């Protein structure tokens, strides 16, 4: 599946990023920056800028809405907006177990250099940064003897792997998450024919506009198997 343009204005592109694409150039994956350059010739504009256009990131396996700035001024302004927590981001995640109806995970996140991953911490740390994720359960499905919850997540902050780390920290790892999952979440993903983690950036509310991305076919098929319907 290739990226598609949802819309654009004078300041930014709104892109539907498929799973399997890196935001920046990567030796192992196709990238959004190369796709944009192929279709919109952005590298001529970006050649003297570091990380030109990047406002926020989605992990390689995460699909959904991505904002990309068209110029340095727009990039600076959009990054300030993100840091100011004025942007509402909504993600869909399928997790192991039955979650509470709603909740808030407020645990700082720091890098675990020994394991090359992020981790949530209970005690203050020099390296840890505050992180907040609100979530609400949409539905509960069952696969064999295991309950699974479809949750809608609203990250207030934007730390690396935040949603994945926070859901794992409360005992509900995302199905198919190879880094923060468990043997059970891996086994369920394989049995469901899912080759990546079930995390999708469903929408972003920015500049009084809401930009959304439909659930990709591979994730939609999983919900069909579980007899879970999105409203």
């Amino acid at each position: 599946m290739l990226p598609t343009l949802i819309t654009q204005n004078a300041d930014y592109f709104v892109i539907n990023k498929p799973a399997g694409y890196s935001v920046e150039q990567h030796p192992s994956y196709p990238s959004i920056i190369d796709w944009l350059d192929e279709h919109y010739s952005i590298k001529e504009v970006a050649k003297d800028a570091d990380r030109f256009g990047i406002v926020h990131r989605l992990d390689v396996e995460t699909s959904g809405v991505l904002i990309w700035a068209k110029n340095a001024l727009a990039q600076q302004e959009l990054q300030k907006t993100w840091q100011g927590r004025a942007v509402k981001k909504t993600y869909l995640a399928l997790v192991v177990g039955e979650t509470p109806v709603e909740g808030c995970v407020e645990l700082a996140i720091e890098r675990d250099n020994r394991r090359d991953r992020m981790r949530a911490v209970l005690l203050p740390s020099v390296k840890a940064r505050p992180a907040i994720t609100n979530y609400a359960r949409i539905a509960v499905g069952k696969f064999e003897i295991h309950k699974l919850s479809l949750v809608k997540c609203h990250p207030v902050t934007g730390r690396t792997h935040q949603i994945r780390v926070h859901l794992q920290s409360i005992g509900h790892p995302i199905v198919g998450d190879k880094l923060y999952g468990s043997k059970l979440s891996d086994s369920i993903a394989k049995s469901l024919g899912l080759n990546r983690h079930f995390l999708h950036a469903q929408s972003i509310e920015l500049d009084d506009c809401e930009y959304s991305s439909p659930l990709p076919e591979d994730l939609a098929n999983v919900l069909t198997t579980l007899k879970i319907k999105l409203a």
Side-chain angles (χ1 to χ4, degrees), residues 136-152:
R137 191 181 72 211
I138 300 174
V140 177
K142 194 171 184 181
F143 182 73
E144 298 176 344
I145 63 171
H146 307 291
K147 287 186 177 180
L148 304 174
S149 297
L150 182 66
V151 294
K152 188 171 285 190

Side-chain angles (χ1 to χ4, degrees), residues 33 37 41-52:
I33 189 169
D37 187 50
S41 302
I42 66 164
K43 283 186 179 175
E44 185 62 30
V45 180
K47 62 183 179 181
D48 295 324
D50 182 38
R51 296 184 176 180
F52 172 82

